[in-house]
Amino acid sequence: MELVASSASASVASASASASSFFIKKRRRRMELVTSAVTQKIKGVDDNGNYKIPFEQTVSIIAVMLAAFFHLLGFTATGPITPELVRHFAIPGSKIGYLTSAYPFGMFFALFVWPRLSDLPLIGRKKIMTLSLLGVGASLIAQAKCVSLGYSFETFLGLRVLAGCCSGASPVIKAYLADVGSSVSSKNNGAFTARLMGWREACCTLAFVVGPTVGGIICSGFDLSATIAFTGYASILASILVLILVVEPNNNNNNNNNNNNDDDNMTKSKEQTTANDDDDNMPYDADNLSCPLGISLVAAVGTICVISFLYNAGQSTFDSFFPLVISRTAGMGPTMIGATLTSLSLVSLCISSLLFAPIFKMLGLTKTCGIGLALVASGLFIIGISNTPFTIGLGAFLYCCGVPLFTPSIPILLMQCVPTTSRGAVMGFDSAINSSARIIMPVLLGSVFAASRGRAFICASACVAAAFAIVIIRSFTVFKQSSARAEKKKKRIS
């Protein structure tokens, strides 16, 4: 009887201890939930774990978009005046490419400096964007004076190189938007960053819509120097907008959220940790994981930069020689050239603002990138083999359909591959690679274009087609290698 009583007493004590432990854990969990809710409210986090955008950050995003628009507006306004510049300086056909190569030549060196400085916490993105835009604007105004005072072509090219040395705002703007995307959303920052990059591309495309028409009207109504001066004042206006309205993104939100997630993970069981490890060993998804074009960081960034170089080789050919093509084929002046470029840019704007996001969501990043490259290559090839205004217009239409599908993909791919503290440097390196293509191709193809317009555009088409082939081959290869690696890990675990 005493043994039974002792056993019953032990059972009651054990049940009491279990109940006490249960209520203590429940009370502790309730306190954790209350504390988490209060913390999220203080930090501005919604129920889905996404940080709400403060008003000043919203204003800052709008200001950056406007700055990108005004900065590019100045450069697109000079598109229709290329034939006029050729006549003003009496440039031979073999040196026409120098007009578009001089600015990227200066930019090539600047892009190794400005974006890296923007990564430094003591300097930041805002100061670099402001100084870069201001320097470019002042250099462009100096170019306008060069034309109005009748200085030589060599002096004009030197001032364009100087403007390129001040350039660096474009990759810093991309890095800034990537920072904003990381600081605003903890779960879907890739989608939000893609949206920001799409908006930036839409602003740039809008500049391509407005700029050529404005440039053609100014050139026809005034003169060359007035058109170039307009480009300088547009960049200075962009610099003022950044200086007054832009604030640095707050990446502490993302870091704090990561710390909170780490604390939560410490309370999980070993079984959950093992499950997470199993998830990490799942086969590689080329559309959803960070580096769809390379398993390692170096391979991914290197592949992306090669693709970007080949694309810019084709784009620089179009930018350098297409105004001359329609001027000679259809006898267009600056106003009509501007209207034609505006019409083509409207096509890109519609695709950028209406179709890029749905296509990206439906097909994924690599497929969207590949489709854009295929359209660009096809358009350049059609321009190269065409002799009538209609077929040349068809090729330009396909080209403008492909550009807005490809160009937002590169910064998104790079953003996914590199940490926040290196984004400016990597974006700058990619822009330097692009500048090298814009330096080399117009110079190399200048003599080819003077001898045969078709050969120049066919060469450009071949470069873009090679980029398309690299996207297809690398995405398939990476998927295959990653799947094989995941299978080996599963076999070792089992």
Side-chain angles (χ1 to χ4, degrees):
M1 293 296 293
E2 292 179 358
L3 181 61
V4 173
S6 175
S7 176
S9 176
S11 299
V12 170
S14 177
S16 177
S18 299
S20 177
S21 176
F22 172 77
F23 284 113
I24 289 174
K25 290 181 179 179
K26 188 174 181 181
R27 183 182 301 173
R28 184 181 300 171
R29 179 58 180 166
R30 186 180 301 169
M31 290 298 295
E32 288 177 355
L33 292 174
V34 172
T35 303
S36 177
V38 172
T39 303
Q40 288 183 348
K41 187 173 182 180
I42 292 174
K43 295 177 180 178
V45 184
D46 61 20
D47 295 335
N48 295 323
N50 296 325
Y51 287 89
K52 300 176 182 178
I53 306 177
F55 175 75
E56 61 271 14
Q57 189 70 73
T58 302
V59 173
S60 181
I61 293 173
I62 295 173
V64 169
M65 297 296 180
L66 288 174
F69 168 75
F70 284 116
H71 177 54
L72 195 56
L73 177 67
F75 287 97
T76 56
T78 60
I81 69 172
T82 300
E84 297 298 322
L85 285 173
V86 172
R87 283 191 287 268
H88 176 81
F89 289 110
I91 305 173
S94 59
K95 294 185 177 181
I96 292 175
Y98 290 10
L99 282 173
T100 52
S101 295
Y103 182 84
F105 180 73
M107 184 190 298
F108 179 81
F109 301 100
L111 292 174
F112 288 103
V113 178
W114 296 108
R116 288 182 179 273
L117 291 176
S118 74
D119 286 334
L120 300 177
L122 294 177
I123 299 178
R125 316 287 190 203
K126 177 180 178 177
K127 294 178 182 177
I128 296 301
M129 286 189 286
T130 302
L131 292 175
S132 175
L133 293 169
L134 182 62
V136 170
S139 301
L140 289 170
I141 293 175
Q143 292 176 43
K145 288 294 183 181
C146 175
V147 172
S148 63
L149 296 177
Y151 290 164
S152 65
F153 178 56
E154 289 74 15
T155 303
F156 182 79
L157 289 180
L159 290 173
R160 286 189 66 82
V161 173
L162 179 61
C165 290
C166 297
S167 178
S170 180
V172 177
I173 287 175
K174 295 176 185 177
Y176 177 87
L177 295 176
D179 292 344
V180 172
S182 298
S183 64
V184 167
S185 174
S186 60
K187 292 184 177 180
N188 298 316
N189 52 23
F192 184 73
T193 304
R195 192 181 307 169
L196 288 177
M197 294 299 177
W199 291 344
R200 189 201 73 87
E201 183 64 25
C203 290
C204 294
T205 306
L206 183 61
F208 275 97
V209 172
V210 178
T213 297
V214 173
I217 293 174
I218 294 175
C219 185
S220 298
F222 297 93
D223 54 17
L224 278 174
S225 61
T227 307
I228 300 173
F230 169 79
T231 67
Y233 292 127
S235 290
I236 292 176
L237 176 59
S239 175
I240 294 173
L241 285 173
V242 173
L243 177 64
I244 296 175
L245 299 177
V246 171
V247 296
E248 294 287 351
N250 182 15
N251 286 319
N252 292 330
N253 287 342
N254 196 37
N255 294 333
N256 291 335
N257 185 72
N258 290 336
N259 292 334
N260 291 336
N261 288 339
D262 291 340
D263 293 338
D264 292 339
N265 290 336
M266 292 295 293
T267 63
K268 292 182 180 180
S269 63
K270 293 182 179 180
E271 290 79 6
Q272 181 65 37
T273 303
T274 304
N276 290 338
D277 293 338
D278 291 340
D279 291 338
D280 292 337
N281 293 326
M282 291 297 289
Y284 188 84
D285 186 349
D287 290 327
N288 296 320
L289 294 187
S290 294
C291 297
L293 298 178
I295 295 177
S296 66
L297 176 63
V298 174
V301 173
T303 301
I304 293 169
C305 288
V306 170
I307 293 169
S308 187
F309 175 89
L310 293 171
Y311 165 78
N312 277 274
Q315 187 185 43
S316 61
T317 303
F318 183 90
D319 293 341
S320 300
F321 304 121
F322 184 73
L324 292 170
V325 170
I326 57 178
S327 175
R328 296 174 181 178
T329 304
M332 294 183 179
T335 303
M336 288 302 298
I337 292 175
T340 301
L341 295 177
T342 293
S343 300
L344 293 173
S345 298
L346 280 172
V347 176
S348 294
L349 177 62
C350 293
I351 294 175
S352 177
S353 57
L354 300 178
L355 297 180
F356 173 76
I359 293 175
F360 167 75
K361 184 177 180 180
M362 179 175 61
L363 300 178
L365 193 57
T366 53
K367 293 184 179 66
T368 303
C369 176
I371 292 173
L373 289 172
L375 289 172
V376 170
S378 300
L380 292 173
F381 182 78
I382 291 175
I383 294 174
I385 62 175
S386 299
N387 293 316
T388 63
F390 173 78
T391 51
I392 291 174
L394 176 62
F397 174 80
L398 293 176
Y399 172 89
C400 292
C401 288
V403 168
L405 295 179
F406 171 79
T407 48
S409 304
I410 292 299
I412 296 172
L413 285 169
L414 289 174
M415 182 275 298
Q416 292 177 342
C417 294
V418 298
T420 303
T421 55
S422 301
R423 283 173 182 163
V426 173
M427 294 292 185
F429 178 75
D430 176 66
S431 295
I433 295 296
N434 300 342
S435 295
S436 64
R438 291 180 168 274
I439 294 167
I440 296 171
M441 291 305 292
V443 173
L444 290 180
L445 294 181
S447 300
V448 178
F449 178 81
S452 172
R453 167 180 60 83
R455 290 181 182 176
F457 278 88
I458 290 174
C459 289
S461 174
C463 290
V464 181
F468 169 76
I470 292 174
V471 169
I472 299 301
I473 294 172
R474 286 295 297 167
S475 59
F476 176 77
T477 303
V478 169
F479 178 82
K480 188 175 180 180
Q481 291 176 349
S482 301
S483 300
R485 180 178 295 182
E487 289 296 329
K488 289 181 180 179
K489 288 183 179 179
K490 284 186 177 181
K491 289 180 180 179
R492 286 199 300 266
I493 293 173
S494 60

